[in-house]
Amino acid sequence: MSKALVIAEKPSVAQDIVRALTPTSGKFEKHDDHFENEHYVVTSAVGHLVEIKAPEEYDVKRGKWSFAHLPVIPPHFDLAPIDKAKSRLSAVVKQVKRKDVTELINACDAGREGELIFRLIVQYSEGSTKKPTTKPVRRLWLQSMTPQAIRDGFERLRADADLQGLADAARSRSEADWLVGINGTRAMTAFNSRDGGFFLTTVGRVQTPTLSIVVEREEKIRKHVARDYWELKATFDAKAGQYAGKWFDPAWKKNDDAERRADRLWSEADAQAIAQAVRGQPASVTEESKPSSQSSPQLYDLTLLQREANSRFGFSAKTTLSIAQALYEKHKVLTYPRTDSKALPEDYVAVVKQTMEMLAGEDLPGPLKALSAHARKAVKEGYVKPNKRIFDNAKVSDHFAIIPTLQAPKSLSEIEAKLYDLVVKRFLAVFYPPAEFLVTTRISTVKADAAEHRFQTNGKVMVKPGWLAVYGRDVEDEDATLVPVEPGEVVRTESVDVNALKTKPPARYTEATLLSAMESAGKLIDDDELREAMQEKGLGTPATRAQTIEGLLFEKYMHREGRELIPTAKAFQLMTLLRGLAVEELTRPELTGNWEYQLSEMEKGRLSRADFMGEIAAMTQRIVAKAKEYDRDTIPGDYATLKTPCPKCGGVVKENYRRFTCSGVNGALEGCGFSISKIPGGRSFELDEVEHFLSHKKIGPLEGFRSKAGWPFTAELKLAYDDEIANWKLEFDFGEDAKKAEDGTPVDFSEQQSLGACPKCKGHVYEHGTSYVCEHAVGAHVTCDFKSGKIILQQPVAREQMARLLQDGKTELLENFVSNKTRRKFKARLAWDAKEGKVGFEFEPRAAKVPAKKAAAKKAAAG
């Protein structure tokens, strides 16, 4: 009997499909790697199982990266199994090749990436048989993971031909990222490694223009010069009480100076003169009151949800996506989250009514309980009805807005409940009527010395809360109501405060504001409609923006400080290089945004894959040619002058593209010859680090250095005087002092406080060089060998963590270890392994797979 093979993206989705189909197609038998009944075989990938790669003759290993092998533009791409997924791939391919499987159903996530996962698996299976498959393909397109939604999806499977544009865009995105990433990274790394060493300089089609947005903002912050200005705030006495007003110039008009405002004075003398003139004087009052209404913001797409979750809860974009994915996939309480639509299909009114009734009737858990009352009101008042602002097919792409499903939540974690609450409140609010206000603008005019000085007071009184009631704003704030003034009443200027202020630089990007900038290709747009028009030309897609930001953080191009994203010296150096080489394609967000627009046009069948890839190949060749042909000694840029003097002659040390160099006592001469690399061991100095290094002649331990083969390592740096060159030079210090101590040189720990007792010999443990060591492991009489690094796999181990390990046997959970093998981050505790006699890793137990009493923590050597 012939069967259809269903390939899902993840095992959990395969299980959901089996549960949904069982009532209609019969019971499934569970096998090791698939489920099967009379009609279907259901299996799954685990995300990507296959990756594209250049044919062997084009593949250049990292150790041989040089301009001689660039550009790499293969005529086609081969496929290779992803190492960790080989067994799963073999299992899926085995099912594809079964003779009784006569049809394939693509049940991967309904989007570009899901399409690519399925297509590459099928292509790989064709390659392994050397014969193209003749098995027809249909597409399961799910917006929701409830059992009924899955059954409905199987009732209306889409033809494979309908998804050809999406498949072309998926392959083109993947190949374009490979071409730009591989060629750009190798070209910039080769350029930066000309003086020796290995300075890994990663670039990407979306990653680098995103970084350029952050760097340009930081440049504006650094160049900002604070300007003094003054504001005047007056208190007026009326019969009914007092009110405040702010001075403004009614004749002011916007100009090129963005810091000028109608309410700012740029001379203290002018501000004091106005204050003196109006103080104690009568003022006439005019006011205008207008009704105003405010509609609820639109439903969430992924980017908007990520922005708000970052602003409200501090969630990273990656965290928000993973929570939303769990609410969709595991709990089935949200619709598909990887969407760029803020609207619903026009035929979805009935489903929304059902969803509203579910929310109204369910006893929602914990803090979500209050939402049921708002849903009941929406049902009772009939708020859900056709409305083009909400239900509009023209504004729905492959997926509609994120809304709750018909499934009620049962057991959500705290952070899952927070995100579900955000989505449900927005879902309720968008159907509620607009909030209504009475907005009053009052102008108090003081005539003094033949001049008129005006002060403005604004009041906003809520008349009807409308949708704001969903957010708990049923009652207006007490201070929103203005003290009334009778018609023709003259008030008295009771007091005037002159406030001295300074202009501020623009704010640094947070993930919320960077996501907004990525959405509109670098243009910060507040207007919803204009931003919507721009979003097709944004950087990346809602599903990939979080990954892009995390990639920039991982590559040390920027770091988080609180909620701010701050670019590093490595980021500035990359932008200086790309601008100096005139590689505009990688620095201008709007250009890359246009390529994203072309991919969306390809999805709709309006642009050929060949034309797009031809443009990408030409761009790749230009990037490599610009780097390869650049023949000047340095790259022009905006470079720093250090505050710390030259360690040899006391002269001025200046930065250029590659080095920090002495330029003589007055900063204009050749200097004494002192010079150090800006990127020792492939790691860029931050300015504060090099200042500290020159003044203390030592710094570290620092992590992020790379060997010539590209592997990361940790070390201290020192300035050592070299008699041969009669100057100071930079050297790596891998703990020579500690080695001397091990050779018998006494070590004085008297000025240090012990971190705790050595787990081996009960002696005291202290900091020493790049390690924490037992006092008996160094010096003239070594009787112990306890030693543990201050940085392990790029994870700094703070003093308090080592003290905790010595006292309790383990540290807290540390989140930033980076595997040398896979280069991926992982979480673990450092723990003392008495059996092995060393510090090792202890991983969190996987309770779901192992019975609780057997969930002993795994241990491995940490070194």
Side-chain angles (χ1 to χ4, degrees):
M1 182 178 180
S2 62
K3 300 183 180 185
L5 173 64
V6 181
I7 301 178
E9 189 164 320
K10 301 181 191 73
S12 60
V13 177
Q15 291 170 352
D16 290 338
I17 289 171
V18 166
R19 279 193 286 267
L21 292 181
T22 297
T24 55
S25 71
K27 186 178 179 182
F28 282 79
E29 187 176 339
K30 187 180 186 302
H31 299 267
D32 287 343
D33 48 39
H34 68 282
F35 301 86
E36 188 168 353
N37 70 6
E38 289 185 13
H39 307 284
Y40 297 103
V41 178
V42 181
T43 188
S44 75
V46 281
H48 280 280
L49 303 183
V50 181
E51 60 189 352
I52 64 170
K53 68 165 193 170
E56 201 62 42
E57 62 269 28
Y58 288 85
D59 190 24
V60 179
K61 303 303 179 195
R62 172 177 282 181
K64 296 181 180 178
W65 285 10
S66 73
F67 287 122
H69 302 103
L70 295 175
V72 183
I73 303 179
H76 67 276
F77 285 93
D78 289 342
L79 299 180
I82 293 173
D83 283 344
K84 65 175 185 176
K86 282 183 178 177
S87 60
R88 172 63 71 168
L89 177 62
S90 298
V92 175
V93 169
K94 180 182 174 183
Q95 302 305 320
V96 173
K97 291 160 67 175
R98 278 174 50 164
K99 289 183 179 177
D100 61 339
V101 168
T102 57
E103 180 188 20
L104 305 179
I105 296 175
N106 177 2
C108 293
D109 281 2
R112 197 190 283 171
E113 217 55 28
E115 196 67 24
L116 184 64
I117 288 169
F118 175 84
R119 300 269 175 171
L120 292 185
I121 290 171
V122 174
Q123 182 185 336
Y124 182 82
S125 70
E126 291 169 357
S128 62
T129 60
K130 304 298 181 188
K131 290 181 182 177
T133 182
T134 55
K135 297 174 181 179
V137 174
R138 287 193 290 169
R139 185 62 153 106
L140 177 67
W141 197 261
L142 297 178
Q143 303 282 15
S144 167
M145 287 299 295
T146 62
Q148 188 57 51
I150 293 171
R151 287 191 286 271
D152 291 346
F154 271 89
E155 288 295 317
R156 49 173 187 266
L157 292 169
R158 298 172 69 175
D160 186 54
D162 293 347
L163 281 302
Q164 190 56 51
L166 182 67
D168 285 348
R171 286 181 185 276
S172 298
R173 194 280 309 156
S174 178
E175 292 174 12
D177 285 348
W178 192 97
L179 285 171
V180 176
I182 292 292
N183 286 281
T185 295
R186 291 181 182 183
M188 299 310 143
T189 300
F191 187 94
N192 279 334
S193 304
R194 277 175 168 170
D195 292 347
F198 182 84
F199 183 22
L200 178 64
T201 310
T202 58
V203 299
R205 185 182 63 89
V206 176
Q207 168 189 303
T208 306
T210 300
L211 182 62
S212 128
I213 293 171
V214 181
V215 169
E216 284 184 17
R217 173 63 60 85
E218 193 69 20
E219 286 172 337
K220 288 179 181 176
I221 293 169
R222 291 184 180 184
K223 290 175 182 175
H224 180 265
V225 178
R227 296 159 66 184
D228 294 324
Y229 71 93
W230 288 262
E231 288 182 348
L232 295 177
K233 290 189 177 176
T235 300
F236 296 96
D237 266 347
K239 290 177 184 176
Q242 290 188 333
Y243 66 90
K246 192 177 189 183
W247 177 91
F248 74 102
D249 177 4
W252 178 83
K253 290 182 180 178
K254 278 187 179 180
N255 55 31
D256 293 337
D257 188 344
E259 291 185 333
R260 291 197 171 271
R261 307 273 195 282
D263 57 3
R264 290 181 177 180
L265 287 154
W266 298 92
S267 158
E268 184 178 12
D270 290 348
Q272 292 291 358
I274 294 172
Q276 185 65 30
V278 302
R279 199 174 277 124
Q281 298 301 309
S284 59
V285 179
T286 59
E287 67 180 26
E288 184 179 17
S289 294
K290 288 183 178 179
S292 171
S293 65
Q294 180 187 358
S295 295
S296 160
Q298 293 173 283
L299 293 168
Y300 287 120
D301 65 0
L302 177 59
T303 301
L304 183 54
L305 182 62
Q306 287 170 320
R307 281 166 45 198
E308 294 215 2
N310 180 254
S311 297
R312 293 197 53 186
F313 309 128
F315 293 170
S316 70
K318 178 184 176 184
T319 297
T320 300
L321 176 56
S322 65
I323 298 169
Q325 194 73 19
L327 290 169
Y328 160 70
E329 201 173 280
K330 177 184 171 186
H331 299 287
K332 300 170 184 56
V333 296
L334 286 191
T335 56
Y336 187 74
R338 297 168 187 255
T339 176
D340 60 357
S341 300
K342 299 187 183 79
L344 298 172
E346 290 166 16
D347 62 359
Y348 222 66
V349 177
V351 177
V352 168
K353 284 182 178 177
Q354 288 177 283
T355 307
M356 198 69 80
E357 286 165 1
M358 180 278 292
L359 292 170
E362 280 289 332
D363 183 18
L364 296 177
L368 300 172
K369 192 181 293 286
L371 300 178
S372 293
H374 297 299
R376 284 193 289 275
K377 182 173 182 181
V379 172
K380 182 182 176 184
E381 301 292 336
Y383 286 161
V384 179
K385 48 198 166 195
N387 177 340
K388 271 288 186 181
R389 184 170 179 263
I390 304 167
F391 302 99
D392 188 348
N393 290 345
K395 292 180 180 176
V396 175
S397 56
D398 294 328
H399 308 283
F400 51 72
I402 304 169
I403 62 170
T405 65
L406 290 166
Q407 187 125 331
K410 297 301 180 190
S411 56
L412 303 182
S413 68
E414 183 183 349
I415 59 173
E416 287 170 341
K418 280 184 174 179
L419 205 69
Y420 184 73
D421 179 77
L422 264 190
V423 174
V424 173
K425 278 180 177 168
R426 181 60 60 89
F427 172 75
L428 294 169
V430 81
F431 293 102
Y432 264 61
E436 295 180 18
F437 301 91
L438 186 64
V439 178
T440 302
T441 303
R442 177 179 295 170
I443 306 296
S444 305
T445 304
V446 182
K447 292 184 179 180
D449 301 328
E452 290 187 346
H453 302 289
R454 291 177 175 83
F455 294 79
Q456 183 167 310
T457 309
N458 296 311
K460 188 177 183 181
V461 178
M462 183 186 289
V463 178
K464 291 181 181 176
W467 65 271
L468 286 173
V470 175
Y471 291 87
R473 288 187 55 192
D474 300 87
V475 182
E476 189 52 82
D477 299 333
E478 288 181 12
D479 59 356
T481 305
L482 275 178
V483 168
V485 174
E486 295 175 4
E489 181 181 349
V490 175
V491 298
R492 181 175 178 274
T493 314
E494 173 62 26
S495 63
V496 184
D497 292 325
V498 179
N499 299 322
L501 301 165
K502 290 181 181 292
T503 58
K504 293 179 180 178
R508 284 195 175 105
Y509 281 104
T510 62
E511 287 202 37
T513 54
L514 182 56
L515 285 165
S516 180
M518 291 175 75
E519 187 177 42
S520 50
K523 295 175 176 62
L524 277 178
I525 299 168
D526 292 325
D527 183 86
D528 281 347
E529 288 186 15
L530 188 55
R531 188 167 58 239
E532 207 167 295
M534 278 296 298
Q535 72 180 9
E536 278 199 328
K537 295 193 175 187
L539 289 175
T541 66
T544 61
R545 285 173 191 142
Q547 185 182 342
T548 298
I549 293 172
E550 290 297 323
L552 290 169
L553 291 162
F554 180 75
E555 291 294 343
K556 303 292 189 294
Y557 279 122
M558 45 186 206
H559 66 270
R560 287 190 183 98
E561 196 169 289
R563 294 191 184 183
E564 293 182 336
L565 298 172
I566 302 175
T568 62
K570 183 179 179 183
F572 280 92
Q573 192 158 7
L574 175 61
M575 287 304 130
T576 298
L577 174 59
L578 296 176
R579 291 166 187 167
L581 296 177
V583 185
E584 284 187 330
E585 296 92 331
L586 284 175
T587 61
R588 289 177 54 190
E590 58 270 27
L591 285 179
T592 307
N594 194 51
W595 295 325
E596 201 64 53
Y597 173 71
Q598 289 178 327
L599 287 170
S600 72
E601 289 291 281
M602 196 184 301
E603 287 182 18
K604 297 163 188 166
R606 299 172 189 161
L607 177 70
S608 81
R609 173 163 145 72
D611 287 348
F612 176 80
M613 291 309 301
E615 188 177 332
I616 293 290
M619 179 193 73
T620 301
Q621 289 171 320
R622 284 196 301 274
I623 291 169
V624 172
K626 292 277 191 180
K628 189 185 287 190
E629 294 163 9
Y630 193 87
D631 57 1
R632 284 187 282 168
D633 290 338
T634 188
I635 298 283
D638 184 12
Y639 296 115
T641 298
L642 301 189
K643 299 170 188 172
T644 309
C646 169
K648 183 184 180 188
C649 71
V652 177
V653 179
K654 291 187 175 182
E655 175 192 19
N656 60 38
Y657 181 68
R658 296 185 187 278
R659 306 185 72 78
F660 295 104
T661 303
C662 176
S663 56
V665 177
N666 64 4
L669 304 174
E670 288 188 13
C672 66
F674 171 76
S675 178
I676 60 169
S677 170
K678 281 172 63 175
I679 48 172
R683 180 196 186 278
S684 296
F685 266 124
E686 298 293 333
L687 284 177
D688 61 332
E689 289 176 345
V690 76
E691 298 275 15
H692 181 279
F693 184 51
L694 295 187
S695 62
H696 293 81
K697 297 187 173 59
K698 193 169 186 177
I699 192 169
L702 301 174
E703 53 95 10
F705 298 107
R706 289 182 184 267
S707 68
K708 288 184 179 180
W711 297 106
F713 67 92
T714 298
E716 291 187 351
L717 298 176
K718 67 179 181 181
L719 273 182
Y721 193 80
D722 188 325
D723 292 325
E724 284 188 23
I725 62 172
N727 213 325
W728 296 87
K729 69 177 185 180
L730 180 151
E731 291 182 353
F732 283 99
D733 183 355
F734 294 103
E736 283 82 356
D737 291 342
K739 287 176 184 173
K740 287 177 187 174
E742 288 165 9
D743 291 341
T745 306
V747 180
D748 182 10
F749 291 122
S750 61
E751 293 187 7
Q752 281 198 48
Q753 184 176 348
S754 169
L755 288 152
C758 171
K760 281 195 163 184
C761 72
K762 304 307 177 188
H764 290 290
V765 174
Y766 297 99
E767 284 188 64
H768 186 61
T770 59
S771 303
Y772 298 107
V773 300
C774 174
E775 62 183 331
H776 299 136
V778 294
H781 305 288
V782 173
T783 58
C784 182
D785 63 356
F786 177 79
K787 179 180 177 182
S788 185
K790 287 184 186 176
I791 299 181
I792 296 174
L793 295 183
Q794 301 187 44
Q795 166 71 60
V797 181
R799 279 180 60 90
E800 55 267 26
Q801 292 298 336
M802 179 51 61
R804 182 184 285 265
L805 184 148
L806 297 174
Q807 180 178 321
D808 303 335
K810 63 180 74 173
T811 66
E812 294 175 349
L813 189 66
L814 305 176
E815 300 193 351
N816 293 307
F817 294 105
V818 179
S819 166
N820 275 337
K821 186 175 181 182
T822 66
R823 304 294 175 85
R824 295 185 181 213
K825 281 190 177 184
F826 65 90
K827 302 176 184 179
R829 301 174 196 274
L830 294 176
W832 173 248
D833 188 331
K835 185 178 178 182
E836 295 291 329
K838 65 171 91 172
V839 175
F841 294 119
E842 182 178 288
F843 300 100
E844 291 288 87
R846 296 186 179 180
K849 293 187 179 180
V850 184
K853 62 182 179 181
K854 294 183 181 178
K858 303 176 195 172
K859 293 185 180 179

